[in-house]
Amino acid sequence: MSNQVPETRIRILNAALKRMESADGDTVRVSDVAKEAGVTRQTLYLYFRTRTELLIAVTLYVDELKSSDDRLAASRAAPSGVARLEAYIAAWTDYIPEIYGVARALLAMNDEEATTAS
C-alpha cells in the first residue's frame, strides 16, 4: 500500500484551510468545504467522518505545511531552561499570526463538537 496521501484528501484539507482562514470567526461548514474542494459532502465524509475530525486534520496539516517541528528546533537544542523557554516563546509568537485564522475557526466550534473531538 502506498504511503502517499490521496490527492482528494489534500484538496479537501486545502479547501478547509482556505475556508478557515477566511471565516473571520464564523463556523466553517462542511458543505462549503466540499464545494470549495470540488467534491460532494459524501466524498468529504469518506475521508473525514465528522466535521471535528476534519478540523483536527487541518490543524495537523497546517503544522506540517508550516514546519512546526523545525520552528521548535532551537528550543529543543537550547543549553538551558531559560534559553529553551525564550526560544520556544519566540517560535510561538512568530507562529501565532500564521495560524490565527485556523485558531479562530476552531474557537467557533460549539462545546459539543469540542468535547467529542477528544
Side-chain angles (χ1 to χ4, degrees), residues 12 16 22 26-27 50-51 60-61 69 74 96-97 107 113-114:
I12 293 168
S22 66
D26 293 332
T27 300
T50 64
R51 178 176 171 272
L60 296 172
Y61 181 61
D69 279 342
I96 289 172
L107 290 170
E113 285 179 304

Side-chain angles (χ1 to χ4, degrees), residues 7-61:
E7 178 186 328
T8 302
R9 185 176 193 278
I10 295 296
R11 240 180 33 241
I12 293 168
L13 289 171
N14 283 325
L17 177 57
K18 182 177 177 184
R19 299 297 297 180
M20 291 171 83
E21 287 177 335
S22 66
D24 197 28
D26 293 332
T27 300
V28 174
R29 297 182 315 183
V30 169
S31 57
D32 294 335
V33 172
K35 184 177 180 181
E36 181 83 31
V39 299
T40 65
R41 283 181 53 190
Q42 291 78 10
T43 299
L44 188 144
Y45 283 122
L46 288 173
Y47 290 91
F48 306 98
R49 294 175 299 164
T50 64
R51 178 176 171 272
T52 301
E53 189 176 302
L54 170 63
L55 296 178
I56 291 168
V58 171
T59 302
L60 296 172
Y61 181 61

